[in-house]
Every structure is written in structure tokens, then in C-alpha cells.
Amino acid sequence: MAELENGTKVRVICGKIGDKQGPVQDIVIDPEYLDITVPARSEFKHATKRGHTVIAYVIDGKGYFCQEKKPFSYEIEGQNYFDVKQDPFLSNGDLALFDDGDQVMVSTEKDPVRFLLVSGRPIGEPVAWYGPIVMNTRDELRIAFDENNNGTFIKALE
């Protein structure tokens, strides 16, 4: 765990903060997976790589992400998709997908915020999705569901 000067705590699962390297390494998409807790009345800035997909998923508390304090100024997925009383804070259960940029900035007021910050280089593969199964094509999806129904979807390692 890395602790920054302002009290922000970062568990590094994959990637690097300062001299702290996460245990997951040598993945082709160059991922970063951080569990971050920003204390009340603090700010956290983190450089991101251009061309990488970057998301933040809030686990606890609430904070402003990238200094946006205007509701509806960015897309979020939350508890209630149809809620038009959107708070400018992101809070527990909210997910933000960031545009391509150089950094993510998070600030707090009276409450701390804990979130997962995940990024990686897109692999550019097609996505076919239905329910809990994600494959590359609709044919692969059909085969996966057939295997699931026949009890052969999960393969034993030999």
C-alpha cells in the first residue's frame, strides 16, 4: 500500500504508484488497477495514458471527479438510470467512463471517497454479449450457451 502526503491511500493491484509496483505484471494491454481512498477535504491526481480506456467505480463515500460539479456534464452509470436529480458527486455504486486524457483528478469535501481506478489499452476485439456471457461473435455466444446448457461450458484444467 502506498500512502501519499495528503493521506490518500492506494492499494496497487496492477500498475505502479511511486515506488510501489503491483503484483500483477506483464499483461499485454498494460493495465492499471488501483484501490484508492481519498480522505475528506483532499485532492488526488493521477496521470493516465493516452489511448487507454479509464474508468472509476466508487465503492464508498463520495467525491468530485475531474473537477466537474455540474450534474449531467458527463456520463455515469449508477443505481437509478432514470434519476433526473443527479448529484454532482459520484458516490457508492457509480461508475464513470473518462474521455481520453492525461490525468484523473478526484476531490472530496466533508466525506472521504474510496474507488477503483482501472485502465488499459483497448484490444480492439469485437464484442458479442448476452446475459453473463461475453464472446467475440454471435456464433461463439450460441456455442457458449449450448455448452452451458449441456454442462460443458466450464472446462477442467489438465
Side-chain angles (χ1 to χ4, degrees):
M1 167 144 5
E3 186 162 346
L4 308 180
E5 287 182 21
N6 70 351
T8 295
K9 295 179 182 173
V10 183
R11 286 187 182 100
V12 182
I13 292 104
C14 189
K16 190 174 183 179
I17 292 282
D19 62 349
K20 299 288 183 187
Q21 175 77 43
V24 179
Q25 299 178 34
D26 301 324
I27 308 284
V28 71
I29 63 164
D30 190 22
E32 187 170 60
Y33 192 118
L34 308 171
D35 179 345
I36 303 166
T37 302
V38 181
R41 294 173 189 78
S42 297
E43 184 176 273
F44 170 77
K45 292 181 187 177
H46 182 68
T48 57
K49 295 178 183 174
R50 287 251 172 207
H52 283 210
T53 300
V54 180
I55 65 168
Y57 180 76
V58 179
I59 299 170
D60 192 30
K62 59 185 180 178
Y64 294 115
F65 283 70
C66 294
Q67 296 184 319
E68 284 297 343
K69 297 183 180 181
K70 299 174 293 198
F72 305 110
S73 59
Y74 52 83
E75 291 292 323
I76 65 167
E77 293 290 332
Q79 303 282 331
N80 184 355
Y81 182 78
F82 297 102
D83 190 354
V84 294
K85 296 178 183 176
Q86 186 173 326
D87 193 322
F89 286 107
L90 292 185
S91 59
N92 189 25
D94 288 338
L95 176 114
L97 171 63
F98 298 98
D99 290 335
D100 199 16
D102 297 314
Q103 74 176 0
V104 169
M105 182 185 307
V106 180
S107 59
T108 58
E109 289 187 349
K110 64 179 182 170
D111 297 312
V113 66
R114 180 178 175 205
F115 63 97
L116 301 176
L117 185 64
V118 181
S119 68
R121 186 174 48 250
I123 58 174
E125 291 288 321
V127 174
W129 165 75
Y130 189 79
I133 299 178
V134 179
M135 304 299 279
N136 292 114
T137 67
R138 298 205 50 80
D139 283 340
E140 288 176 347
L141 265 180
R142 183 188 50 74
I143 292 166
F145 274 97
D146 287 345
E147 288 177 347
N148 187 53
N149 291 336
N150 296 331
T152 59
F153 182 70
I154 306 292
K155 312 289 192 276
L157 296 175
E158 296 178 24

